[in-house]
Amino acid sequence: MTAELVRGQNHPLSQVRLEVRISADAPIVAAATIGDEQGKVHGVEWVAHPGAPTLPGLEVSRQAAADHRLAVDLGAMPESVHRISVLLALPSGVGGPARFGAVAAPFVAVTGLDGTGVASYTITGLEAESAVVALELYRRQDAWKVRAIGQGYSGGLAELLADQGLPEARRLVDAINEAVFQAHSRSVAPPPPRTPDSDRTRRTTSPAPAQSASPYAAQGPQDSSIPGSPEQAGSAVQGVQGAASAAQPSSPYEVQDPQNTPAQAGQPDGSPQAGRAEEAAQTDPSATGRPSAPAVGAPINYSHPSRRTAPPPAPPTAPPAQSGQPPRPVAGDATGWSMDERLYNQVWGMFEDLARTVAAYRSAVDFADSRLEQEIDKALADPRSRVGGRGDAAREAARTKHSQLVDQARAALDRDLSQLIAESEVVEPALPLSYARWDNPVWHGYRVPMELPMALRLGDLRLPESANLSIPMLVRLPLERGLWIDSGGEALDGSLIDSDELRRLAMETAVTHAARLLAVHPAGEFAVHVIDPAGSGAPALAPLVRSGVLAGPPAAGTAGVADVLGRLTQRVDLVQMAVRGGAADSLPPDLDTAQQLLIVNDFPHGFDDRAVTQLRYLADEGPAVGVHLMMVADREDAAVYGPLLDPLWRSLLRLTPVPDDHLADPWVGHAWTYEPSVVPQGSQVLQQVLSQVAAARRSWNR
């Protein structure tokens, strides 16, 4: 799977023979430098460029082009080489834009020789710069990694090379420009497009209508035509003609990546810009391709590829966005067949955007810290600069540059956070019952739903850098794994909470989750059972018991535990046998086919060895047949069982009754702070909702 890097982020390289594929909206010059352990380039012979395209283990293109492939063999690199920097520059003297801010963001991908994606990076945020260090391959402890750099230079390639320590930078740039100009003057003009009379392919297929009335006809670069239909045949012919009319490459480096060619009929575009906008087409997220470019003169969208969707029109009452400002956020700005699905996708798109922008900020700060250390070490390497004003000036300059880099990263983070906060303020009030907070006015107009919900809100997620922004934590329904409300531990702020108080909060959290599950399901489609062996959860369970929404009174004592577990285990066995035997209609008529939730309080109190085995069986096999588990327990209380219960805890999603940063994000490595969804103090919304649920259950059971 291709790793989509952000500025400053690195990724390990498992292969030594690689290709660096570059795509841009205009012809650019691709070059590469090799450097020592400090990244210094010692001479022009350490630079691969159009005038001297080959170095040991490295080869670049000989001319300016919109697409490049750089060949890299890390195994052939000399031992003295520790860093390979990939450089991009806009050519001079051949026409075209003079700054990267006038073209779409360049896209760089590191792939294997077979085209398998390793890492990709979209270089955003460029304005007046005309040269940029796109990425670097560097050696660290005999292992190679790739890092996204994105460092631009408004002074062009000369300033870039001079910054890497090359004294002959200006003279080398003149040689590069001359080589590019000579290659440009020798380039062959593209052939004229073929006429229909000379196209044998067109004569052997049915012509495509100018505007098909079929709902399956191709729309833009995406073609969803039915295989074998006339619309698809015409689209395929047009794709062949478009490829024939493109400019013919004059070197192997200009051969287009097959993933960058126009999509064939019935095949989705492989570009990473598909993201959420093409989610319905099931685009391969690991595909390595070129982002789509806007038309000449159109504003350039530098937003993350997964968020490039065509938003629905804003309501007539919403004022239009001012010129030059980002478009006003709209609830439901995502793909989906229903509004609930679109809001679900939009919420998780916001989650991805927040994770990505914070990762970019943290990576940029780490990069600035690393650069500060390197520059200070470099200043102190010379004994003459360790004392006196020269050393102090070097250290002060390094710290000033560090502060500038951190301030730039913070400004970019604040800009992204403000956009996400504006989107959250629009999305939050529009969320349906199953996604909404308990203080959302939608609960005051509650009616028992008639359709099954798509997802459920378990709480909110936030990061330390986004104190004013929280993202709803949504999970798909039916639940694929059970829930564990941890009643042990400490509060997030480090202050100790009384163990009895923590257990009470944990049980109240379980009750609110159960109440939401009952409220968002149609009558008769969801049932809740409770095991409370010692009766310690009675105060928290009072809303469920008084309203009569439980499938039965809470089970107490060892006998009650055995009875509930025995009935649910038997249900799992019967449904499994019916499903495996293809005889789902032969289930006993008195079997409740609704989804079942079992709340277990004070585990393992009241559980013998047989009951523990049944509980593990329900946790493993229950979700597949509609039996779900919600544990309210402190893991330390079950320490007597040792590692026997480790699989049980690992199979459950751990939640806490107080905010805690225990949810790990393997995508970018964040530790998200989870905040449980609670009913506002003094609110009667929970009792009102449960009373309607109970009334609907009574009407359904008649």
Side-chain angles (χ1 to χ4, degrees):
M1 182 176 180
T2 304
E4 297 183 14
L5 304 182
V6 296
R7 184 176 183 180
Q9 186 178 3
N10 59 41
H11 185 75
L13 297 174
S14 59
Q15 307 176 51
V16 295
R17 301 187 66 186
L18 303 165
E19 283 187 350
V20 179
R21 303 185 177 188
I22 303 166
S23 298
D25 191 37
I28 58 174
V29 176
T33 61
I34 56 177
D36 57 16
E37 198 165 0
Q38 284 74 38
K40 183 177 180 180
V41 179
H42 290 276
V44 294
E45 66 276 5
W46 289 47
V47 183
H49 56 86
T54 59
L55 290 177
L58 183 62
E59 185 174 3
V60 302
S61 175
R62 296 177 180 270
Q63 67 179 37
D67 297 281
H68 294 269
R69 289 192 186 186
L70 280 61
V72 181
D73 186 354
L74 300 176
M77 287 293 161
E79 289 295 329
S80 59
V81 175
H82 289 263
R83 189 174 303 177
I84 305 170
S85 300
V86 177
L87 318 179
L88 307 181
L90 293 170
S92 60
V94 296
R99 59 186 184 89
F100 277 111
V103 298
F107 176 75
V108 186
V110 179
T111 72
L113 296 183
D114 58 353
T116 304
V118 178
S120 64
Y121 174 41
T122 303
I123 311 173
T124 60
L126 299 178
E127 290 295 340
E129 298 86 346
S130 58
V132 61
V133 180
L135 50 80
E136 66 178 13
L137 313 178
Y138 64 98
R139 195 199 310 255
R140 182 69 55 83
Q141 297 178 350
D142 296 329
W144 285 90
K145 295 183 178 182
V146 57
R147 177 186 286 127
I149 302 297
Q151 178 65 51
Y153 294 83
S154 57
L157 198 55
E159 182 184 359
L160 187 156
L161 294 173
D163 190 48
Q164 294 193 353
L166 186 65
E168 308 93 336
R170 183 69 264 173
R171 184 159 50 90
L172 178 59
V173 169
D174 292 339
I176 294 174
N177 291 336
E178 179 64 22
V180 171
F181 178 78
Q182 293 296 335
H184 177 74
S185 63
R186 294 193 303 265
S187 61
V188 180
R194 288 183 286 184
T195 61
D197 294 338
S198 63
D199 192 350
R200 291 182 294 175
T201 307
R202 176 178 290 275
R203 292 200 297 268
T204 59
T205 55
S206 302
Q211 185 175 359
S212 173
S214 168
Y216 301 98
Q219 300 292 333
Q222 296 287 341
D223 192 345
S224 313
S225 304
I226 301 176
S229 67
E231 292 85 356
Q232 179 179 356
S235 299
V237 172
Q238 293 175 356
V240 171
Q241 289 182 330
S245 62
Q248 299 298 318
S250 58
S251 75
Y253 297 97
E254 292 185 76
V255 177
Q256 288 195 353
D257 181 359
Q259 295 176 346
N260 290 342
T261 57
Q264 300 299 320
Q267 297 177 350
D269 184 10
S271 77
Q273 299 286 5
R276 288 169 58 204
E278 307 299 340
E279 184 175 348
Q282 298 297 321
T283 305
D284 180 9
S286 65
T288 303
R290 173 181 175 181
S292 58
V296 177
I300 299 169
N301 188 347
Y302 287 118
S303 62
H304 175 254
S306 291
R307 300 280 285 161
R308 293 192 67 167
T309 64
T317 57
Q322 296 180 359
S323 176
Q325 298 295 325
R328 299 290 179 89
V330 178
D333 181 8
T335 58
W337 293 104
S338 64
M339 190 61 176
D340 285 6
E341 184 178 3
R342 290 163 61 187
L343 287 169
Y344 175 87
N345 291 334
Q346 185 174 12
V347 166
W348 281 109
M350 294 165 59
F351 170 84
E352 292 177 1
D353 286 350
L354 178 58
R356 187 174 297 275
T357 190
V358 172
Y361 170 73
R362 293 179 179 179
S363 297
V365 172
D366 291 343
F367 175 74
D369 294 342
S370 175
R371 185 164 184 170
L372 174 64
E373 293 177 2
Q374 292 177 4
E375 292 182 353
I376 291 180
D377 291 344
K378 183 178 179 180
L380 296 178
D382 187 357
R384 295 171 299 178
S385 64
R386 293 177 185 172
V387 294
R390 184 178 175 185
D392 294 340
R395 286 189 289 269
E396 183 63 26
R399 294 190 183 98
T400 301
K401 196 167 188 178
H402 172 270
S403 300
Q404 291 175 351
L405 291 175
V406 173
D407 291 343
Q408 291 175 3
R410 186 69 215 191
L413 174 66
D414 292 341
R415 181 190 65 240
D416 294 341
L417 288 179
S418 64
Q419 295 176 358
L420 287 172
I421 290 173
E423 186 173 9
S424 176
E425 291 173 350
V426 173
V427 170
E428 190 69 48
L431 294 178
L433 286 171
S434 56
Y435 305 173
R437 287 197 298 247
W438 285 106
D439 58 356
N440 193 310
V442 70
W443 288 105
H444 296 286
Y446 172 77
R447 295 292 182 271
V448 177
M450 302 297 292
E451 298 181 354
L452 293 173
M454 176 183 172
L456 185 80
R457 184 173 190 158
L458 294 179
D460 294 283
L461 300 172
R462 68 172 70 245
L463 291 171
E465 292 85 353
S466 59
N468 297 326
L469 174 64
S470 61
I471 305 296
M473 179 180 175
L474 305 181
V475 295
R476 295 296 292 263
L477 293 177
L479 296 171
E480 297 181 356
R481 58 190 300 198
L483 304 177
W484 167 29
I485 314 299
D486 192 356
S487 59
E490 299 180 353
L492 183 63
D493 58 4
S495 61
L496 295 175
I497 294 182
D498 180 77
S499 59
D500 293 336
E501 176 68 11
L502 199 58
R503 293 176 187 273
R504 181 188 66 82
L505 292 174
M507 198 61 201
E508 289 181 354
T509 301
V511 168
T512 57
H513 289 322
R516 182 186 291 268
L517 282 165
L518 286 166
V520 301
H521 280 84
E525 295 292 340
F526 201 86
V528 177
H529 309 263
V530 177
I531 290 179
D532 188 19
S536 60
L541 290 169
L544 299 179
V545 175
R546 286 199 303 263
S547 59
V549 296
L550 295 177
T558 304
V561 171
D563 177 62
V564 173
L565 291 178
R567 287 188 285 109
L568 291 178
T569 301
Q570 182 183 34
R571 182 190 185 280
V572 172
D573 290 337
L574 289 174
V575 176
Q576 278 187 341
M577 288 188 293
V579 171
R580 292 170 182 171
D585 55 348
S586 62
L587 289 169
D590 59 341
L591 182 73
D592 186 4
T593 58
Q595 298 278 318
Q596 309 288 316
L597 174 68
L598 172 61
I599 302 177
V600 178
N601 186 35
D602 274 352
F603 177 80
H605 182 78
F607 281 73
D608 54 20
D609 291 345
R610 185 171 185 271
V612 170
T613 302
Q614 289 177 319
L615 191 68
R616 288 188 55 187
Y617 176 74
L618 292 178
D620 294 338
E621 305 293 336
V625 291
V627 177
H628 311 284
L629 187 61
M630 184 183 294
M631 299 277 292
V632 183
D634 182 358
R635 188 170 181 174
E636 293 299 322
D637 294 342
V640 66
Y641 288 94
L644 179 66
L645 292 181
D646 286 350
L648 173 64
W649 304 118
R650 287 196 297 266
S651 68
L652 304 175
L653 174 61
R654 177 175 175 257
L655 303 176
T656 55
V658 294
D660 189 22
D661 59 349
H662 67 279
L663 290 178
D665 180 2
W667 182 43
V668 289
H670 294 330
W672 290 82
T673 297
Y674 167 77
E675 297 180 351
S677 181
V678 297
V679 180
Q681 189 72 23
S683 174
Q684 300 297 315
V685 65
L686 186 64
Q687 290 77 5
Q688 295 172 2
V689 168
L690 289 178
S691 63
Q692 293 195 43
V693 172
R697 282 176 56 87
R698 289 191 294 268
S699 300
W700 183 82
N701 288 326
R702 289 176 184 172

